[in-house]
């Protein structure tokens, strides 16, 4: 019968095979000693296509609010989808316990990392269950491309027609945020016999995670001012010449030029220079930056030459990683091998800036299907983690809100990062570039409320937010920067106080610097001189609570952590951008290569896409330093250790705070924080602008509206700032989100002094 499938051989094998004995003794590691995950196969019933179970939340919530524009053709290819498998409760609990032990210096399993094969054999789905699922996929007309070593993913391909037949959902086209996407119209249904081992299908929609960087600026260096002249943006001249500009150059972007940071500057600011001078440069450590497109290798060579980083011995390579047993990673630039991608250039060059002795590997994939959510970043990352040659560190500067991610895709992300952690790979993810909702990079939050980056809310990664140097708004630049530039184009003298990166009028540090009582007053005044709201923006570092992942134990250790049950981000923060776009980092690109003394146009860039690879570079310094002290280079997720160290400076969630809570305030500058591991960012916030069109089908929650019906180009409606409770008066208690002593949604634990961090890390793990 066509509606019934009896997988005779697979079921017979499942029933006949004894419970798995796990790894053979000669291949087992100390990490697996005493762990018993033996269990019988869970697929034991006949797989009947007439007996179905709907899998909840396996389509995008956005789709339910949007009418489809058309159904897709049955012939539409659906390549390299991922059937995400579900491990048993026994194995899930055992994995969580192991990862906790791997990060506990008092445990015998401390730093005992797994291989992909060990991970899959012990914590994946049984071979018999995988065989049953694979046979069912083939019976539905799909091509099974392979099973990942982790035994948690099956890579398979088909068409929209096979998806409709097998999973009982229609692929449609939708217009979401002014872009056309495909997505499944409803939740999938699967045979009930498979329900215990299947989470869902990742790849049924093409909502891609976005790079988290600002729009690049091509500028010309002016040696007399030591600033880069950035052309005025079209259509913004009137506001720049308005009377508001008379309040000061900080009120309007592009009135005084832009300061370009060199690697020297941020190495000096974050104590990296001290480690570099002592030989800790990331030597021997591999950082993989995962991206959707490649870059011209000469860019990296130019960057290293321009800033005199070549003597440190770092290396550069580009790869299309393949997981063991699969060939689903295609060069995304095969048709244009000499093309550049800004995100990739930023990641590779600024990981090197912090760790000039490290091996930088650019890992890019085109999974062969542009209609797949996992068309690059996920494929590159999961293939690295499941490959035979694995990096010490991964940096992923991409993101999208959990509200824009279906449940199966989110599960796949979290499963991937947990595996990386168990293998000892440290993963750093950008928090996002649009305040309290990371899905609006380059735009304005609308039709959605507070959210967090679905790639960064896993408890097995370290999520990096964004800061801004406070010297410009504070008027203290002469105190922290030299009036001349040195031979590697740097001018920073020391650590510089920081505030959260926020380019909107919601930046209350900017508001007060310009003479306003608060950011609401500043925003209202801005509308007077900018009635079209050309400068309305949600650009700024992101942070917020997860609506999916629970708060890990280690995140409860520090004063200031939110009293919720959610995994909250970010964990830490580094420089990402500047209010008024006064400061950015320098890139060397193929179109605009860096010339000696910057005599030709140069690219300036920012965003948490900068923060994450920089912290990955700092982690490479930690790895080398700890390795030279006798520990394994791999540290796994850095966050548990970072929070344990922060608890010593900031204090625990209850009780009297130590003196170092105030002493390590970023506002104390270099002298006050000289012995601190963390620079605690305590003023400012990441509440950026949001809007709601009149008559909008989808309202904008979590938005405190301060003006109604401005004549802005987005359309008549309401303009506001993001708030945790828009029914109350906007204040530091309700804005989303304000910095505070200890941890905050604005900047996490704050930034770090890399030199002090290495010393504290060594002490934490008991080495000198």
């Amino acid at each position: 019968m066509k509606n019934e499938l009896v997988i005779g051989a697979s079921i017979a094998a499942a029933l006949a095979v004894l419970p798995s004995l796990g790894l053979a003794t000669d291949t087992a590691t100390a990490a697996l000693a005493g762990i018993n995950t033996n269990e019988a196969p869970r697929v034991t019933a006949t797989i009947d296509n007439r007996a179905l179970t709907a899998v909840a939340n396996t389509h995008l919530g956005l789709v339910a609010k949007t009418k489809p524009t058309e159904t897709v053709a049955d012939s539409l290819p659906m390549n390299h989808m991922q059937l995400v498998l579900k491990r048993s409760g026994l194995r899930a609990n055992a994995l969580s316990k192991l990862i906790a032990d791997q990060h506990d210096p008092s445990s015998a399993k401390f730093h005992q990392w797994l291989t992909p094969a060990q991970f899959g054999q012990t914590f994946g789905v049984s071979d018999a269950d995988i065989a049953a699922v694979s046979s069912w996929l083939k019976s539905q007309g799909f091509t099974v491309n392979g099973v990942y070593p982790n035994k948690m993913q099956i890579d398979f391909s088909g068409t929209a027609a096979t998806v409709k037949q097998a999973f009982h959902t229609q692929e449609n086209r939708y217009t979401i945020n002014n872009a056309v996407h495909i997505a499944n119209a409803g939740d999938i249904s699967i045979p009930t016999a498979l329900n215990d081992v299947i989470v869902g299908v990742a790849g049924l929609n093409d909502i891609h995670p976005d790079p988290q960087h600002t729009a690049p600026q091509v500028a010309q260096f002016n040696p007399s001012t030591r600033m880069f002249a950035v052309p005025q943006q079209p259509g913004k001249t009137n506001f720049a010449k308005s009377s508001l500009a008379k309040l000061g150059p900080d009120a309007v972007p592009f009135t005084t030029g832009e300061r370009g940071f060199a690697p020297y500057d941020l190495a000096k600011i974050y104590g990296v220079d001290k480690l570099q001078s002592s030989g800790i440069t990331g030597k021997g450590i591999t950082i993989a930056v995962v991206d959707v497109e490649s870059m011209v290798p000469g860019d990296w060579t130019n960057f290293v030459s321009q800033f005199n980083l070549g003597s440190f011995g770092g290396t550069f390579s580009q790869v299309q990683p393949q997981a063991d047993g699969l060939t689903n990673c295609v060069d995304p630039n095969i048709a244009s091998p000499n093309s550049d991608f800004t995100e990739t250039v930023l990641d590779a060059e600024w990981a090197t800036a912090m760790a000039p002795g490290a091996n930088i590997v650019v890992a890019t994939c085109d999974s062969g299907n542009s209609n797949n959510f996992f068309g690059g970043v996920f494929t590159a990352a999961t293939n690295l983690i499941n490959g035979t040659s694995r990096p010490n560190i991964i940096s992923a500067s991409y993101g999208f809100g959990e509200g824009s991610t279906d449940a199966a895709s989110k599960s796949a992300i979290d499963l991937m990062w947990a595996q990386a952690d168990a293998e000892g790979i440290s993963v750093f993810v950008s928090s996002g570039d649009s305040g309290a909702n990371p899905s609006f990079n380059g735009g304005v939050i609308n039709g959605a409320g507070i959210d967090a980056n679905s790639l960064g809310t896993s408890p097995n990664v370290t999520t990096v937010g964004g800061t801004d140097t406070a010297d410009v708004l504070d008027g203290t630049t002469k105190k922290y920067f030299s009036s001349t530039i040195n031979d590697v184009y740097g001018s920073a003298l020391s650590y510089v106080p920081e505030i959260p990166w926020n380019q909107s009028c919601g930046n209350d540090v900017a508001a007060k610097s310009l003479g306003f009582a608060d950011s609401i007053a500043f925003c209202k005044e801005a509308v007077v001189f900018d009635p079209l709201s050309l400068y309305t923006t949600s650009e700024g570092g992101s942070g917020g609570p997860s609506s999916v992942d629970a708060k890990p134990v280690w995140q409860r250790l520090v004063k200031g952590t939110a009293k919720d049950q959610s995994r909250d981000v970010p964990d830490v923060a580094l420089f990402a951008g500047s209010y008024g776009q006064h400061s950015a980092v320098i890139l060397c690109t193929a179109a605009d290569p860096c010339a000696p003394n910057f005599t030709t146009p140069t690219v300036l860039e920012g965003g948490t896409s900068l923060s994450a690879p920089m912290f990955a570079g700092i982690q490479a310094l930690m790895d080398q330093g700890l390795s030279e002290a006798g520990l394994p280079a791999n540290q796994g997720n850095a966050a548990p250790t970072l929070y344990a160290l922060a608890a010593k400076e900031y204090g625990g969630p209850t009780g009297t705070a130590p003196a170092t809570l105030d002493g390590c305030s970023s506002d104390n500058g270099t002298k006050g924080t000289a012995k601190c591991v963390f620079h605690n960012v305590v003023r400012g916030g990441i509440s950026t602008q949001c809007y709601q069109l009149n008559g909008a089908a989808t309202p904008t929650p979590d938005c405190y509206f301060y003006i109604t019906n401005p004549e802005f180009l987005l359309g008549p409606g309401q303009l506001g700032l993001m708030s945790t409770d828009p029914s109350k008066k906007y204040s530091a208690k309700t804005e989303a989100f304000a910095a505070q002593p200890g941890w905050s949604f604005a900047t996490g634990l704050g930034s770090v002094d890399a030199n002090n961090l290495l010393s504290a890390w060594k002490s934490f793990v008991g080495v000198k």
Side-chain angles (χ1 to χ4, degrees), residues 691-696 708-719:
Y691 80 96
Q692 178 175 297
L693 292 176
N694 290 343
T708 302
N709 293 327
E711 299 173 358
F712 53 88
L713 293 179
L714 298 170
Q718 296 175 290
L719 194 60

Side-chain angles (χ1 to χ4, degrees), residues 514-711:
L514 297 168
F516 293 98
D518 53 34
S519 54
I520 293 293
F522 181 27
C523 289
K524 288 181 177 179
E525 183 72 6
V527 172
V528 175
F529 296 101
D530 181 28
L532 296 179
S533 284
L534 295 171
Y535 285 87
T536 297
T537 180
S538 293
E539 204 79 4
S542 292
S546 172
S547 58
V548 178
D549 292 310
K551 189 185 295 296
V553 172
W554 43 261
Q555 196 170 38
R556 301 178 184 276
L557 299 176
V558 181
K559 186 169 291 297
T561 51
K563 294 179 174 61
D564 58 19
Q565 301 303 312
S566 301
R567 165 72 168 117
D568 298 318
V569 295
D571 298 304
V572 287
L574 295 175
F575 176 79
S578 181
Y579 178 78
Q581 293 182 269
H582 275 279
S583 304
V585 299
I586 300 169
L587 290 192
C588 301
T589 68
D592 296 289
C594 295
N597 300 314
F598 302 110
T599 54
T600 58
T602 305
V603 175
L604 303 179
E605 187 58 285
T608 57
S609 278
L610 165 67
S611 311
M614 281 205 301
F615 216 106
I618 290 175
Q619 185 62 42
L621 306 180
M622 301 301 107
D623 287 2
Q624 181 192 348
L626 292 164
S627 177
E628 291 182 356
L631 291 176
N634 282 30
Q635 299 299 308
N637 184 19
T641 299
L642 294 172
Y643 278 83
L645 298 178
K648 296 181 179 181
E649 286 191 353
Y650 298 166
T654 60
T656 303
T660 45
L661 177 64
D662 290 332
C664 292
S665 167
S666 170
D667 287 345
N668 293 332
T670 305
K671 293 182 179 179
T673 62
K675 296 182 179 180
C676 297
V677 173
F678 297 92
H679 308 121
N680 190 192
V681 179
V682 296
R683 59 187 169 120
I686 59 169
S687 177
T688 57
Q689 288 169 287
C690 44
Y691 80 96
Q692 178 175 297
L693 292 176
N694 290 343
T698 304
T700 302
D702 307 323
C703 188
Y704 178 88
F705 299 112
Y706 55 80
I707 193 166
T708 302
N709 293 327
E711 299 173 358

Side-chain angles (χ1 to χ4, degrees), residues 426-500:
S426 304
V427 178
F428 296 89
V429 178
S430 301
S431 69
D433 284 13
S434 48
N437 188 312
S439 296
F440 294 86
N441 187 16
V444 184
I445 296 170
N446 69 94
I450 293 170
D451 204 352
N453 184 0
S454 60
L455 268 72
T457 49
S458 160
N460 299 107
V461 304
T462 302
T463 300
V464 188
T467 67
D468 178 5
T469 57
D471 63 294
V472 175
L473 293 173
D474 289 349
T476 58
T477 298
K478 291 182 179 179
K479 180 178 179 180
Y480 295 105
F481 291 90
S482 171
S483 60
T484 60
I485 296 175
N486 61 25
D487 58 355
V488 287
Y489 310 105
S491 60
L493 299 174
S494 66
Y495 174 69
V496 184
E498 295 169 275
I499 57 176

Side-chain angles (χ1 to χ4, degrees), residues 248-432:
D250 307 322
V252 183
F254 312 122
T255 58
T256 62
E258 198 159 354
R259 176 172 60 183
F261 284 144
Y264 175 93
D265 294 311
L266 293 178
K268 171 67 72 174
I269 288 170
Y270 293 123
V272 167
D273 61 327
K274 296 176 183 177
L275 291 177
Q276 291 177 355
S277 65
S278 66
I280 303 297
T281 64
K283 182 179 180 181
I285 305 302
T286 297
I287 303 171
V289 296
V290 291
D291 281 285
V292 297
E293 291 188 44
S294 301
M295 61 181 279
V296 176
D299 296 347
W300 184 87
T301 304
N302 181 204
F303 184 83
V304 167
S305 174
Q306 178 78 351
F307 297 110
N308 197 27
L309 301 175
S311 62
F312 294 106
T315 66
F316 173 88
S317 61
Q318 290 192 107
V319 301
Q320 279 68 57
Q322 305 291 354
D324 197 14
L326 286 97
T327 55
N328 59 357
C329 181
V330 178
D331 185 352
N333 294 64
I334 193 168
S336 51
N338 294 318
S339 64
D340 248 348
F341 190 55
T342 299
E343 176 60 55
T344 310
V345 177
L346 181 65
D347 293 344
E349 292 183 352
W350 280 86
T352 294
M354 296 295 99
N359 305 313
I360 304 298
V361 175
V362 171
T364 57
C365 290
D366 181 344
S367 67
N369 181 9
S370 61
N371 295 325
N372 190 324
F373 180 91
F374 297 110
V377 173
F378 179 89
T379 305
T382 197
N383 284 7
L384 285 169
I385 294 163
N386 283 279
T388 55
S389 180
R390 296 178 298 282
N392 305 97
I393 301 164
I394 290 176
S395 176
S397 292
Y398 289 76
F400 226 63
E402 290 180 339
S404 300
T405 308
D406 62 277
S409 298
K410 175 57 176 166
S411 294
I413 292 166
D414 287 356
L415 291 170
M416 173 178 69
W417 293 145
Q419 181 183 353
D421 196 4
E423 292 177 7
I425 301 171
S426 304
V427 178
F428 296 89
V429 178
S430 301
S431 69

Side-chain angles (χ1 to χ4, degrees), residues 1-57:
M1 297 176 61
K2 291 185 178 180
N3 291 328
E4 181 174 305
L5 174 67
V6 180
I7 309 177
S10 298
I11 295 297
L15 294 172
V17 173
L18 291 173
S20 170
L21 296 178
L23 293 173
T25 303
D26 59 350
T27 61
T29 68
L32 299 178
I35 295 178
N36 183 356
T37 59
N38 297 339
E39 61 183 15
R42 289 176 285 153
V43 180
T44 57
T46 298
I47 301 176
D48 185 348
N49 288 326
R50 297 169 302 183
L52 301 174
T53 296
V55 184
N57 302 316

